[in-house]
Amino acid sequence: MKTQKKRMKPLRFVKKYGRLIAGIIIIAVVVFCSVFAPLLTQHDPYKQDMSRAKELPSSEHIMGLDFYGRDIWSRILYGSRNTLAVAIITQAVVTVVGTILGMLCGYFKKVEKVLMRFLDAYATIPGLLMNLMIVSALGSGVPQLVLAMSLNAIPGVSRAMRNQVIFVREKEYIESAKAMGASEIRTLFRHVLPNISNYLWVRLGGGLAGSIGSMTALSFLGVGLNPIIPSWGGIVQEGQTLMFVLPHLSFFAVGAICLTVFGFVLLGDGLRDLLDPRLN
């Protein structure tokens, strides 16, 4: 007699997968708007019309015009490309470098004594201050932003990965791999890395949300991308002087930032609920 699979109750399904699904939907919408920006607007995000500067939202310009008469909806759409690109590239660099350093520190005690002390000392410098120093010294631009935000985030990821490796390296299957003659490098990348990879997925959402927040903060302080280039932080920075008089100048960009960060946070929480067996 065949046993029927027990169906998951709706409330339990929502509890387990709800945040993940909601996060995926929000991020999918943001990515869609970014990729298909030319199809979603007919206005040039760089075209200025000073005679219509600060114009309120209308049927022609659904989010109004900024200080230079540029269409805000177009600048938010094209700004999403720059914002997401910087966030994704930064997290790729942070994940690769932080994972390698964390694995070395967690597996080799001699490396840990030297490298971890340096990373701990570097981590004591306030992140925003370090970002400001690097971007101010090197100038504005995508490479400079990626470098600054990556250097700021790597110590934290390295420390977390080190802790994961220390927990895994004492497991029986690691000892078995060593006993069978596996080299240290092979053991690290063939046996240790796959068993700590869940953590990388779990921190993905939070890391991307943090990168967007850092980029927004730097743009708001005037040291992000060139003001001519559309970016969400730049739009907020330009409109903050008249935020309470003409809120449309920054309100929609703030909404885009909050929605995207919220989506990535939900994505990270959803992945944690899915991958962490202690929560199932």
Side-chain angles (χ1 to χ4, degrees):
M1 187 176 177
K2 292 184 179 179
T3 57
Q4 290 186 346
K5 244 184 178 179
K6 199 174 180 181
R7 293 180 63 184
M8 186 179 293
K9 294 181 179 180
L11 286 177
R12 190 180 174 192
F13 179 86
V14 171
K15 183 179 179 182
K16 185 175 181 179
Y17 301 109
R19 284 183 284 190
L20 178 62
I21 294 172
I24 291 174
I25 291 173
I26 293 173
I27 300 307
V29 171
V30 174
V31 172
F32 176 85
C33 291
S34 172
V35 173
F36 296 100
L39 302 178
L40 299 175
T41 179
Q42 58 182 348
H43 301 288
D44 185 347
Y46 297 96
K47 185 178 179 181
Q48 300 181 12
D49 186 355
M50 295 302 295
S51 64
R52 302 178 64 184
K54 298 178 283 189
E55 189 175 282
L56 295 173
S58 63
S59 57
E60 183 182 0
H61 301 280
I62 59 174
M63 291 185 179
L65 303 176
D66 66 5
F67 278 89
Y68 303 97
R70 298 171 298 192
D71 183 69
I72 295 177
W73 167 240
S74 298
R75 291 186 66 77
I76 287 178
L77 286 177
Y78 282 89
S80 65
R81 292 181 168 185
N82 300 317
T83 303
L84 291 176
V86 171
I88 292 171
I89 295 171
T90 298
Q91 284 309 302
V93 173
V94 169
T95 299
V96 172
V97 178
T99 298
I100 292 174
L101 294 180
M103 289 172 63
L104 293 176
C105 289
Y107 198 78
F108 300 105
K109 294 182 180 180
K110 291 183 180 179
V111 176
E112 178 187 18
K113 290 180 181 178
V114 178
L115 188 56
M116 209 61 212
R117 300 294 78 79
F118 172 77
L119 292 175
D120 287 341
Y122 184 86
T124 60
I125 304 173
L128 183 58
L129 176 61
M130 178 57 67
N131 288 342
L132 284 171
M133 290 171 57
I134 295 174
V135 176
S136 298
L138 300 179
S140 61
V142 171
Q144 292 87 336
L145 279 176
V146 170
L147 176 63
M149 293 192 298
S150 298
L151 290 176
N152 183 36
I154 284 173
V157 175
S158 300
R159 190 182 301 106
M161 293 304 297
R162 164 188 167 271
N163 295 337
Q164 295 288 323
V165 173
I166 289 175
F167 177 75
V168 169
R169 74 183 182 189
E170 305 300 333
K171 297 293 184 180
E172 292 181 359
Y173 55 83
I174 301 298
E175 297 298 329
S176 299
K178 291 180 182 178
M180 293 176 66
S183 65
E184 303 285 7
I185 299 299
R186 179 180 173 83
T187 301
L188 263 177
F189 287 94
R190 184 70 183 271
H191 302 285
V192 175
L193 181 58
N195 287 283
I196 62 175
S197 59
N198 279 358
Y199 170 78
L200 296 175
W201 289 107
V202 169
R203 71 161 298 277
L204 176 66
L208 288 168
S211 294
I212 291 175
S214 297
M215 182 181 177
T216 300
L218 291 172
S219 297
F220 186 80
L221 294 172
V223 293
L225 297 177
N226 189 311
I228 299 175
I229 301 174
S231 71
W232 291 344
I235 296 172
V236 175
Q237 193 273 336
E238 290 173 356
Q240 53 99 13
T241 54
L242 294 177
M243 187 175 295
F244 297 104
V245 181
L246 296 171
H248 74 280
L249 295 175
S250 56
F251 174 79
F252 296 110
V254 171
I257 293 167
C258 293
L259 180 65
T260 306
V261 169
F262 182 59
F264 280 126
V265 170
L266 285 177
L267 179 65
D269 289 347
L271 288 172
R272 182 199 62 200
D273 294 343
L274 181 65
L275 299 174
D276 191 339
R278 293 170 295 181
L279 300 175
N280 297 326

